[in-house]
Amino acid sequence: MSSQLRLAVDVMGGDLGPRSVVPACVRFLNRFPQAELELFGPQIQLQALLDEQRQPQLHGRLHITSCEQVVTQSCNPIQALRHKRESSMARALQAVARGEVQAMVTSGNTGALLALSRSILGTIEGVRRPALGKSLPAEAGSCFLLDLGANIDCTAEDLLQFARMGIEAQWVHTGKRDLRVALLNIGAEAHKGTEEVRRAAELLEKDPAIHYAGFVEGHDIFTGVVDVVVCDGLMGNVAMKSAEGVIRLMGQKAFTIERKSPIKRFFGQLAIKLLRKWRTQVEPARYNGASFLGVKGNVIKSHGGASSEAFYRAMITAKECAEADLAARLGRAMAQVKA
Amino acid sequence: MSSQLRLAVDVMGGDLGPRSVVPACVRFLNRFPQAELELFGPQIQLQALLDEQRQPQLHGRLHITSCEQVVTQSCNPIQALRHKRESSMARALQAVARGEVQAMVTSGNTGALLALSRSILGTIEGVRRPALGKSLPAEAGSCFLLDLGANIDCTAEDLLQFARMGIEAQWVHTGKRDLRVALLNIGAEAHKGTEEVRRAAELLEKDPAIHYAGFVEGHDIFTGVVDVVVCDGLMGNVAMKSAEGVIRLMGQKAFTIERKSPIKRFFGQLAIKLLRKWRTQVEPARYNGASFLGVKGNVIKSHGGASSEAFYRAMITAKECAEADLAARLGRAMAQVKA
């Protein structure tokens, strides 16, 4: 394998479409000279946006595969599987399947992405259910949370697999060993939670490959007391979205309160500048890019409302997954468990 | 009924115990001259803390019922029911049951509180499952979220009842009519979520007394697009705790980043001051005090790690519930539904 990094980018599907994706791609190529990108989307529109960027030196490293079909936000997984095989999202996944690229990034419809990924790439042998996971900011570093919404209800065995996959993924992002794994619950006491989560606690406790740290609550995701937090897709989705919501609320409050005296406004402006900087430490944009773990290929989901900055961050996540070949690592890890 | 406001306060159980509760009580009595408080806890310790506060003018409005038994954080609901009938928490609930006070406030063990409340006060006729709910900060005002952890799995019928109770509670806190109600889910599309949540959507849609606004995601709790958000106790608990966690993380980041030049430190300090102010707009302390809805009495749960400021806020919540007699309103609302 050459040291060349090749990523597929689905430029359609996010709320802002190619307008936020194309500048992120240009920035990525300028930052990483060994990278090449394969863009999937409408040729004419893409070419016009690229021309606007005036970066002729990148031409040889930026390829366009034209596709006019788009997966909309309202498309459900079944419709995607039946009618969206020629979409920019499906074509980008096909490039992963054929080994032409090491990872793909999209900000498109999550449900369609999960369904198309499973269908086009296939599931890693031994994986019961692929899961969506993401590294979130914590007081001490970061914490990998999964599942973020791919699986609505999960058995204890599913949660055990999520733990194993989460460990591999968080290793790729942090390089840390002996990662502490916890189960998300509504209390730290052993008698709390559903039967499945209590059964999962027993399975994790018994697994010699897992450093199990017990139950944690929602706030512990952000303290850094553990490195991987495992839960079903409902809880994970709610945890991540609620955190995003309250961060946004805090920004909004900051921008509306200080309107009093000129002096207060002056210091208010300074404070807002600092606040913006602090926010970037924790805000979703900086921690953008969820990995779909358990399919035979590296698939990165960017936030649907991703700005150019956020999409760029998702591309960095894709680069990390591609360079460590996370999907192959997961394949080996799951084979070891079976053996 | 006289205009007198009488609240019962369980002074034991929070992480800080009577040390945070007693100053909150003194502040409350000074702020509301028509109020009287009945404190439940160890007489000698309480009297010493009250003497420290040097507020002899409050003596006639501050009564102590001595109880030495305490419900610890590790006590499970069954142990509480069997062995904690003489605890400060149980005695405070008995005062509500006898009509000696209009509401009780505690920062003690949630599981024990829910079990003891059900047992001592009884459930309102027609209520299948009481639920814990709380008003949370939103861009436009506030949003009432329930259930926060009293019920792990809920049927569609439970969620419908939560919606009805949430409307009454949010009315008490805001005075707003025609409140918009949503179901918490992992996406706004009708095909998403568990079967129960989709069935609940049909029930809410059909109910002429409910202004149903569809599914919302975690971040929508904080935007103010709706007034009441309904979910099962797992999701609600995770949503609230995750939001609290990320707010705390943001504060922590703010206090560690600015250590560079003296000028940066100076402005950093100013910004931190403003940030603190902004945080109080959204932080848990200001929005402290969850109501246990569906039992025959007004029961307010304060955060276990509540500071004196936060406990004071929970007392304000109790005052609002007591003055509107939320429990009686819920009784009437549920009777109407039956008729």
Side-chain angles (χ1 to χ4, degrees):
Chain A
M1 205 174 79
S2 82
S3 68
Q4 187 84 356
L5 175 71
R6 278 183 71 98
L7 303 181
V9 177
D10 167 20
V11 303
M12 304 307 285
D15 300 346
L16 304 169
R19 290 230 154 259
S20 70
V21 173
V22 168
C25 290
V26 166
R27 180 175 167 197
F28 187 83
L29 288 174
N30 280 320
R31 173 72 184 77
F32 302 106
Q34 84 285 20
E36 289 192 24
L37 298 177
E38 185 77 34
L39 273 50
F40 294 81
Q43 170 97 38
I44 294 165
Q45 195 186 348
L46 271 177
Q47 197 57 58
L49 283 165
L50 284 168
D51 290 346
E52 267 179 34
Q53 298 277 325
R54 294 167 206 267
Q55 306 266 338
Q57 81 284 3
L58 299 179
H59 275 182
R61 295 161 54 209
L62 218 164
H63 316 280
I64 298 175
T65 301
S66 190
C67 12
E68 299 295 329
Q69 201 185 53
V70 173
V71 178
T72 59
Q73 278 304 323
S74 60
C75 177
N76 74 39
I78 292 158
Q79 289 167 336
L81 287 174
R82 285 201 189 141
H83 307 298
K84 298 293 181 178
R85 293 285 176 170
E86 296 305 314
S87 62
S88 54
M89 184 188 278
R91 298 284 298 275
L93 287 165
Q94 285 153 12
V96 177
R98 286 192 299 265
E100 294 165 10
V101 294
Q102 290 129 280
M104 75 84 87
V105 195
T106 179
S107 54
N109 180 323
T110 309
L113 177 66
L114 305 187
L116 286 170
S117 299
R118 277 201 193 94
S119 160
I120 293 169
L121 298 171
T123 304
I124 290 171
E125 211 186 325
V127 170
R128 299 159 50 99
R129 288 165 149 201
L132 206 55
K134 183 174 169 180
S135 207
L136 292 167
E139 285 182 32
S142 64
C143 174
F144 197 88
L145 179 67
L146 78 168
D147 175 40
L148 297 177
N151 305 286
I152 280 181
D153 44 12
C154 301
T155 65
E157 288 73 18
D158 294 332
L159 295 171
L160 173 63
Q161 286 208 338
F162 294 173
R164 288 176 183 144
M165 296 199 291
I167 291 170
E168 297 296 324
Q170 182 69 342
W171 176 82
V172 162
H173 295 308
T174 64
K176 269 179 78 180
R177 294 278 174 201
D178 194 31
L179 299 167
R180 297 152 299 172
V181 180
L183 285 162
L184 188 60
N185 203 348
I186 59 169
E189 300 82 8
H191 64 270
K192 293 216 169 160
T194 61
E195 206 193 309
E196 286 307 315
V197 88
R198 281 182 278 127
R199 219 158 57 72
E202 287 172 30
L203 295 180
L204 267 75
E205 187 78 70
K206 275 193 288 196
D207 193 318
I210 292 173
H211 180 166
Y212 177 60
F215 292 146
V216 294
E217 297 184 70
H219 50 87
D220 297 309
I221 298 167
F222 304 97
T223 56
V225 287
V226 292
D227 304 286
V228 177
V229 170
V230 175
C231 59
D232 68 40
L234 274 181
M235 288 169 86
N237 190 273
V238 164
M240 182 185 61
K241 298 265 171 81
S242 301
E244 286 175 8
V246 83
I247 287 279
R248 228 176 302 165
L249 168 67
M250 186 143 172
Q252 184 264 1
K253 289 276 178 203
F255 301 123
T256 55
I257 292 170
E258 291 308 315
R259 303 273 141 138
K260 287 159 201 164
S261 69
I263 289 174
K264 278 201 176 163
R265 266 210 301 280
F266 173 73
F267 285 114
Q269 289 305 321
L270 279 172
I272 284 168
K273 234 179 115 180
L274 283 171
L275 186 77
R276 281 219 175 98
K277 205 168 119 192
W278 293 330
R279 266 181 82 192
T280 61
Q281 305 286 318
V282 292
E283 75 182 345
R286 196 182 161 93
Y287 280 79
N288 196 19
S291 308
F292 191 41
L293 307 172
V295 291
K296 290 182 190 154
N298 297 306
V299 175
I300 310 302
K301 167 73 176 78
S302 163
H303 199 287
S307 62
S308 189
E309 164 71 23
F311 198 87
Y312 174 76
R313 295 283 168 187
M315 293 179 78
I316 303 282
T317 303
K319 175 179 175 286
E320 289 172 359
C321 294
E323 287 177 342
D325 201 348
L326 177 55
R329 285 186 66 85
L330 291 174
R332 288 194 295 273
M334 298 321 274
Q336 268 182 0
V337 174
K338 267 186 79 184
Chain B
M1 205 173 76
S2 83
S3 68
Q4 188 84 354
L5 175 71
R6 277 184 72 99
L7 303 181
V9 177
D10 167 20
V11 303
M12 305 306 285
D15 299 346
L16 303 169
R19 290 231 153 258
S20 70
V21 173
V22 168
C25 290
V26 167
R27 180 175 167 198
F28 186 83
L29 288 174
N30 281 319
R31 174 72 183 78
F32 302 105
Q34 83 285 20
E36 288 193 25
L37 297 178
E38 185 76 35
L39 272 51
F40 294 81
Q43 170 99 37
I44 295 167
Q45 195 186 349
L46 271 177
Q47 197 57 59
L49 283 166
L50 283 169
D51 290 346
E52 267 178 35
Q53 298 277 325
R54 295 167 205 268
Q55 306 267 337
Q57 79 285 3
L58 300 180
H59 275 182
R61 296 163 53 211
L62 217 164
H63 317 280
I64 299 176
T65 301
S66 191
C67 13
E68 298 296 328
Q69 201 184 52
V70 172
V71 178
T72 59
Q73 278 305 322
S74 61
C75 176
N76 72 40
I78 292 158
Q79 290 166 335
L81 288 174
R82 286 201 189 141
H83 309 296
K84 298 293 182 179
R85 293 284 176 170
E86 296 305 314
S87 61
S88 55
M89 184 188 278
R91 298 283 298 276
L93 287 165
Q94 285 152 12
V96 177
R98 285 193 299 266
E100 293 165 11
V101 294
Q102 291 129 282
M104 76 84 88
V105 195
T106 179
S107 55
N109 181 323
T110 309
L113 177 66
L114 305 188
L116 287 170
S117 299
R118 275 201 194 95
S119 159
I120 292 169
L121 298 172
T123 304
I124 290 171
E125 211 185 326
V127 170
R128 299 159 50 98
R129 290 165 148 199
L132 205 56
K134 183 174 169 179
S135 207
L136 292 166
E139 286 183 30
S142 65
C143 174
F144 198 87
L145 179 67
L146 79 168
D147 174 40
L148 297 178
N151 305 285
I152 281 181
D153 44 12
C154 300
T155 64
E157 287 73 19
D158 295 331
L159 296 172
L160 174 62
Q161 286 208 338
F162 295 172
R164 288 175 183 145
M165 296 199 291
I167 291 170
E168 296 298 324
Q170 182 69 342
W171 176 82
V172 163
H173 295 307
T174 63
K176 269 179 78 179
R177 293 280 173 201
D178 194 29
L179 299 167
R180 297 152 300 172
V181 180
L183 286 162
L184 187 59
N185 203 347
I186 58 169
E189 301 82 8
H191 65 269
K192 292 217 168 157
T194 61
E195 205 193 309
E196 286 307 317
V197 88
R198 280 181 279 128
R199 220 158 56 72
E202 286 172 30
L203 295 180
L204 268 75
E205 185 80 69
K206 274 192 290 197
D207 193 319
I210 292 174
H211 180 166
Y212 177 60
F215 293 146
V216 294
E217 297 184 69
H219 51 87
D220 296 310
I221 298 166
F222 304 97
T223 55
V225 288
V226 292
D227 304 287
V228 177
V229 170
V230 175
C231 58
D232 68 41
L234 274 180
M235 287 169 86
N237 191 273
V238 164
M240 183 186 59
K241 299 265 171 81
S242 301
E244 286 175 8
V246 83
I247 287 279
R248 229 176 301 165
L249 168 66
M250 186 142 171
Q252 184 264 2
K253 289 278 177 200
F255 301 124
T256 55
I257 291 170
E258 290 309 315
R259 303 273 141 138
K260 288 160 201 164
S261 69
I263 290 174
K264 278 201 174 163
R265 267 209 301 280
F266 172 73
F267 285 115
Q269 289 305 322
L270 278 173
I272 284 169
K273 233 179 115 181
L274 283 171
L275 186 76
R276 281 220 176 97
K277 205 167 118 193
W278 294 330
R279 265 181 83 192
T280 61
Q281 304 287 317
V282 291
E283 75 182 345
R286 197 183 161 92
Y287 281 80
N288 196 18
S291 308
F292 191 41
L293 306 172
V295 291
K296 289 182 191 154
N298 297 306
V299 175
I300 310 302
K301 167 73 177 77
S302 163
H303 199 286
S307 62
S308 189
E309 164 71 23
F311 198 87
Y312 174 75
R313 295 284 169 187
M315 294 179 78
I316 302 281
T317 303
K319 175 180 176 284
E320 290 173 358
C321 293
E323 288 178 340
D325 200 349
L326 177 55
R329 286 186 64 87
L330 291 175
R332 288 194 296 275
M334 298 320 275
Q336 267 181 2
V337 173
K338 267 184 80 185

